[in-house]
Amino acid sequence: MFARAVFALAAAAIAPAAIAQGSTADEIAKYRAALREGNPAELWQARGEALWREKRGPKHVTLEGCDLGLGPGIVKGAYAQLPRYFADADRVMDLETRLVWCMVKLQGYTESDAKRNVFGSGNDKKSDLEALTAYITSESRGVPMKVPLSHAKEMEAYRVGEKLFFFRGGTHDFACATCHGEEGKRIRLQDLPNLMTAEGAQKAYTTWPAYRVSQGELRTFEWRLYDCFRQQRFPELAFGSEAAIALTMYLARNANGAPYDGPAIKR
Amino acid sequence: MIPSARVALFVLGAIAAGCATPVDEGEIAAKATAVIKASFKPAGQAGLDRLEQDETQRACSAAAGKALPRDIATKIEQANLATIRYPADGKFLGDWKNGEKIAQEGRGMQFSDNPSGPVGANCYACHQLSPAELSFGTIGPSLYQYGKLRGNGIEVQRYTFGKIYNSEAFTACSNMPRFGHKAILSEQQIKDVTALLLDPASPVNQ
Amino acid sequence: MIDRRRRTVLQSGGSATLLGLLAATGWLKPGEARAEAWNKGAFDSHSMPDAMKALGGTDSVVPSKDIVFFQTPEIAENGAVVPIGITSNIPKTESIAILIEKNPNLLAAVFDLPGGTEPTVSTRVKMAQTSNIYALVKADGKYYVATKEVKVTLGGCGG
Amino acid sequence: MSDPMKIRASLVGDSTEVKVLMSHEMETGQRKDAQGQTIPAWFIQNVVVTHNGKTVLAAQWGTAVAKNPFLSFKFKGGAKGDKVTISWTDNRGDKRTDEAVIA
């Protein structure tokens, strides 16, 4: 009771206008524009394209026969229609999961070999999956997002993803929605898109993968989810897990209609 | 703690209220729970127990971003209010300089963090505080001149300490962590952050 | 002429200055464009005060409005990558160097620009913290400088 | 082995604009690894750009140049179809040379 009365008093006080927010935002916009001049993601794209065409693995074949959803070997525009249901695997897959599938089925890698370096770290631990993802996604640049929900499992993934988006847990009570469920917010100086809206999801989803300046690495959407959960104080999100794919489905589908615009460069 | 029968009731109520397609909503919710359990691995200091929701987390998840009915919100707030342990010495204000460090520190309790390393409150991620820090978030309200606008009487001190200790006691389903209740910060750290907000010498109040 | 200027630099600094080091070890000698040349002394320089005393000395280094920063933000979202563009409108520009006052090693890069190459370069540097950036230009044997402060911010979720 | 550079050389008016991205760690020598050991400095020290055998840019770099370096500049005298060659050398003595055709 007492606390509530004080709270009312506290809430009644009017917060002063944020200082110099406008000019800070302008300067950050200039910083981002300057970075777009040259995006090191291109180095990953080039390596990924070479990997795609190289005969590799125990079976010594290329990945060019891999079906990313539009038919074997069709790369152009494939990412704009992922995740999707794949009958051969009888499950919904995102791009990274599908690449692992193709490395196993076509090239003969074991699943653990294919997943050895899902997230790269420096020169000694480069990730083939990140490079391949950079290449495949770059081939959808400018293609409108068109993620299907026609299969029952696609619909289920979407709806489960929506539930997970609101799941609060961990020591800090954080859910995806804590930071990404409102308009016009930012964390530190970084704008937070509202991922429940088409506009917000489009802005965010179509710019992953991205070269992360703070890490000096190209990062995929699987990594984006993994690292969000790390910072939410959750345990580790498993690569290619159902939760990762369901959330990706929720966000990718919400981004439908917007041209894909990655790989991008971000802080 | 809230008696569990009542909790179950208000969780169910919240689900029903947010229900768009009632046919298999429960099925999807059950699937989501199973997916969560199957998709994470323990890492560092973050065990799978962190996925076990308490009553507040469960109710706020089910609300799916929509406002809770007032009676349910009140129940959450009352239950959380009961958890607050105010300082035994009756003193709410610590060292604002240390409070500033805690407000800046973003590490703590992530699986990548050293368990014996620093644990901060990361206030600047969501709030403006000292005007010298340009890099502040806007998820929460600006706290610049927090004490200057409200005064720093004992009631404001007590409220502020309590809000940091357990934010859900005052606003159900707040985005703000429950720093004391979840043992993220120590009592002394909460006092230091309270001082950052209320001490007249703090840069927040200049 | 260069010798006299170097003396001035050394005298006003009271010790080996960065500029002194640059001159003494043959930095920016006309015609020098050898891949093997790497000026260890200049790149190992750790302190700015001496260097800045020298840079402020009008006889040796002249502050110039003809050196322009472009694509250089006042606030960097991350210090790991800070875009820096420098154009010199000073005739006969031979070299452009980038120095960052508060970095552990001050000198970031030196670009020698033979005749026919435009006096403008754009690259990206790391900044340990908010700092002044110096664009040092050598033109027709003389040194000129321009300064810009870049604020480095903390970003993201913080961990 | 290092990855190829990504070079773009394009004619803008009577100048050739060169933009290059290089794959390199540019390790400062200031950082420590998880075990507390200092990670040794490893960085590109020299960059030379030539056009028709003539040097059009020679750079010396320190550890403060950002990881996966980017460089952009312009020179006069290039023509479409000409080759621009870029070489770097790092402090371990590793070298790499790549070329691009002016478009």
Side-chain angles (χ1 to χ4, degrees):
Chain A
M1 266 321 183
F2 171 66
R4 187 158 278 294
V6 177
F7 175 60
L9 172 110
I14 295 157
I19 304 161
Q21 260 196 54
S23 61
T24 301
D26 290 350
E27 287 302 318
I28 293 291
K30 282 186 204 164
Y31 172 86
R32 291 174 190 162
L35 288 188
R36 280 196 290 274
E37 180 90 350
N39 183 352
E42 289 187 31
L43 299 167
W44 273 257
Q45 287 167 220
R47 194 161 66 83
E49 183 169 2
L51 284 169
W52 180 258
R53 301 186 193 290
E54 188 187 329
K55 289 179 180 164
R56 300 172 75 230
K59 294 186 185 170
H60 198 61
V61 293
T62 76
L63 282 169
E64 288 166 303
C66 180
D67 182 356
L68 299 172
L70 304 182
I74 299 175
V75 172
K76 197 94 201 155
Y79 187 65
Q81 298 190 34
L82 287 169
R84 67 188 302 140
Y85 174 77
F86 287 88
D88 54 7
D90 190 29
R91 62 177 286 210
V92 174
M93 292 170 147
D94 61 358
L95 172 59
E96 292 95 312
T97 312
R98 188 62 185 175
L99 285 168
V100 169
W101 169 271
C102 287
M103 288 169 77
V104 171
K105 299 288 171 187
L106 298 180
Q107 296 183 313
Y109 286 106
T110 64
E111 185 160 331
S112 67
D113 275 349
K115 287 184 177 176
R116 180 155 293 154
N117 262 343
V118 293
F119 308 136
S121 169
N123 195 63
D124 300 332
K125 202 172 154 264
K126 286 184 178 169
S127 165
D128 290 349
L129 272 173
E130 282 174 341
L132 284 163
T133 303
Y135 163 60
I136 304 292
T137 55
S138 74
E139 290 290 310
S140 284
R141 185 177 279 273
V143 177
M145 293 296 302
K146 197 180 157 196
V147 176
L149 283 188
S150 44
H151 194 277
K153 289 201 175 176
E154 290 167 347
M155 180 55 91
E156 183 187 77
Y158 179 87
R159 292 184 62 196
V160 167
E162 184 178 32
K163 282 268 172 251
L164 301 185
F165 187 79
F166 293 104
F167 183 91
R168 284 188 179 219
T171 52
H172 286 52
D173 300 333
F174 290 149
C176 305
T178 306
C179 289
H180 294 289
E182 280 184 84
E183 302 296 326
K185 301 290 182 185
R186 51 175 228 217
I187 191 158
R188 288 280 185 173
L189 285 174
Q190 282 68 49
D191 297 321
L192 293 165
N194 178 354
L195 299 176
M196 293 154 68
T197 66
E199 195 195 351
Q202 287 169 348
K203 199 175 165 191
Y205 190 81
T206 60
T207 52
W208 288 95
Y211 181 77
R212 282 298 299 272
V213 158
S214 49
Q215 312 207 354
E217 298 283 351
L218 179 122
R219 294 308 191 192
T220 64
F221 201 73
E222 281 266 355
W223 178 89
R224 174 63 285 177
L225 293 175
Y226 158 93
D227 205 54
C228 270
F229 279 116
R230 179 182 67 84
Q231 293 176 111
Q232 279 173 241
R233 275 71 183 174
F234 278 46
E236 184 182 329
L237 180 67
F239 182 90
S241 61
E242 266 194 275
I245 290 166
L247 273 166
T248 304
M249 180 53 114
Y250 176 66
L251 300 169
R253 172 71 186 194
N254 286 352
N256 263 9
Y260 176 69
D261 196 26
I265 181 166
K266 294 171 189 276
R267 177 190 70 82
Chain B
M1 275 295 132
I2 316 175
S4 58
R6 248 166 58 201
V7 172
L9 203 71
F10 79 63
V11 170
L12 276 174
I15 290 169
C19 206
T21 41
V23 188
D24 58 351
E25 184 63 26
E27 211 176 295
I28 291 292
K31 172 83 184 166
T33 306
V35 163
I36 282 272
K37 284 202 192 311
S39 296
F40 288 85
K41 308 185 279 196
Q45 57 183 303
L48 294 181
D49 57 311
R50 293 202 182 173
L51 302 172
E52 302 292 335
Q53 292 180 308
D54 67 15
E55 289 83 350
T56 299
Q57 289 174 333
R58 203 170 296 130
C60 294
S61 301
K66 294 173 195 74
L68 287 174
R70 189 60 248 172
D71 58 329
I72 295 172
T74 303
K75 280 179 186 141
I76 291 176
E77 287 161 7
Q78 283 173 351
N80 280 284
L81 191 59
T83 71
I84 300 178
R85 307 266 178 279
Y86 291 99
D89 63 4
K91 293 190 171 69
F92 298 106
L93 300 186
D95 174 1
W96 68 261
K97 286 181 182 142
N98 200 38
E100 168 70 15
K101 287 187 196 127
I102 295 164
Q104 289 282 8
E105 179 59 63
R107 286 171 296 179
M109 308 189 92
Q110 297 167 127
F111 63 69
S112 52
D113 289 329
N114 182 345
S116 54
V119 177
N122 209 11
C123 309
Y124 283 102
C126 301
H127 297 282
Q128 182 183 33
L129 293 107
S130 165
E133 180 53 85
L134 296 177
S135 182
F136 60 86
T138 61
I139 297 168
S142 171
L143 302 175
Y144 173 55
Q145 297 194 332
Y146 180 93
K148 199 168 183 172
L149 292 164
R150 291 163 179 81
N152 68 346
I154 196 75
E155 287 170 26
V156 176
Q157 290 181 24
R158 184 181 159 86
Y159 162 73
T160 304
F161 180 96
K163 176 76 181 178
I164 299 166
Y165 192 100
N166 190 335
S167 59
E168 302 273 349
F170 308 98
T171 312
C173 303
S174 164
N175 285 328
M176 182 165 146
R178 294 171 283 176
F179 290 103
H181 177 55
K182 291 288 203 166
I184 301 164
L185 299 182
S186 68
E187 181 182 285
Q188 186 56 49
Q189 285 181 303
I190 297 174
K191 287 182 173 185
D192 292 344
V193 177
T194 305
L196 177 69
L197 291 167
L198 291 173
D199 193 316
S202 161
V204 168
N205 295 318
Q206 302 314 305
Chain C
M1 198 165 84
I2 288 170
D3 280 76
R4 201 197 63 213
R5 186 160 42 245
R6 189 201 319 167
R7 221 172 11 255
T8 312
V9 166
L10 293 174
Q11 280 164 2
S12 66
S15 65
T17 65
L18 180 58
L19 193 70
L21 274 167
L22 293 173
T25 51
W27 179 61
L28 306 180
K29 249 189 288 176
E32 173 214 45
R34 300 191 318 274
E36 317 85 71
W38 192 74
N39 190 335
K40 189 173 189 312
F43 280 103
D44 283 349
S45 179
H46 292 298
S47 118
M48 202 67 180
D50 286 349
M52 281 324 293
K53 266 185 223 162
L55 294 172
T58 50
D59 187 43
S60 49
V61 178
V62 184
S64 173
K65 287 194 169 65
D66 292 323
I67 304 169
V68 184
F69 287 94
F70 67 96
Q71 281 193 344
T72 309
E74 282 174 25
I75 301 174
E77 207 174 4
N78 193 283
V81 179
V82 181
I84 307 279
I86 298 165
T87 296
S88 167
N89 295 314
I90 303 166
K92 296 187 182 173
T93 292
E94 299 157 26
S95 298
I96 297 174
I98 302 170
L99 296 94
I100 300 156
E101 184 174 8
K102 293 198 179 154
N103 269 11
N105 299 310
L106 309 184
L107 182 59
V110 184
F111 299 91
D112 285 355
L113 312 165
T117 297
E118 296 186 15
T120 177
V121 289
S122 171
T123 188
R124 291 162 185 177
V125 298
K126 298 177 209 135
M127 291 178 67
Q129 55 181 306
T130 296
S131 171
N132 281 323
I133 295 192
Y134 296 92
L136 185 64
V137 167
K138 187 186 181 194
D140 202 17
K142 297 187 178 69
Y143 293 93
Y144 304 87
V145 71
T147 310
K148 183 182 173 92
E149 188 190 47
V150 176
K151 292 189 178 74
V152 172
T153 61
L154 289 171
C157 315
Chain D
M1 207 193 77
S2 56
D3 288 329
M5 292 177 233
K6 191 82 191 175
I7 306 170
R8 278 203 185 85
S10 45
L11 211 54
V12 182
D14 61 347
S15 290
T16 301
E17 182 179 51
V18 179
K19 290 183 180 180
V20 56
L21 286 159
M22 305 170 189
S23 179
H24 204 284
E25 290 295 298
M26 299 303 287
E27 192 59 62
T28 60
Q30 314 270 346
R31 298 197 312 151
K32 288 187 166 47
D33 65 16
Q35 285 72 46
Q37 299 289 312
T38 300
I39 304 170
W42 180 31
F43 61 103
I44 293 173
Q45 289 186 314
N46 289 98
V47 179
V48 175
V49 186
T50 59
H51 164 247
N52 290 343
K54 177 180 171 285
T55 299
V56 289
L57 182 107
Q60 297 178 42
W61 285 355
T63 53
V65 170
K67 181 175 177 178
N68 297 318
F70 170 77
L71 168 66
S72 167
F73 73 102
K74 288 177 189 172
F75 68 90
K76 289 198 193 324
K80 283 193 182 177
D82 286 1
K83 273 182 187 164
V84 171
T85 304
I86 306 183
S87 303
W88 57 249
T89 310
D90 70 22
N91 67 321
R92 291 183 185 173
D94 290 342
K95 294 173 199 294
R96 168 140 208 127
T97 298
D98 291 285
E99 56 184 31
V101 171
I102 300 175

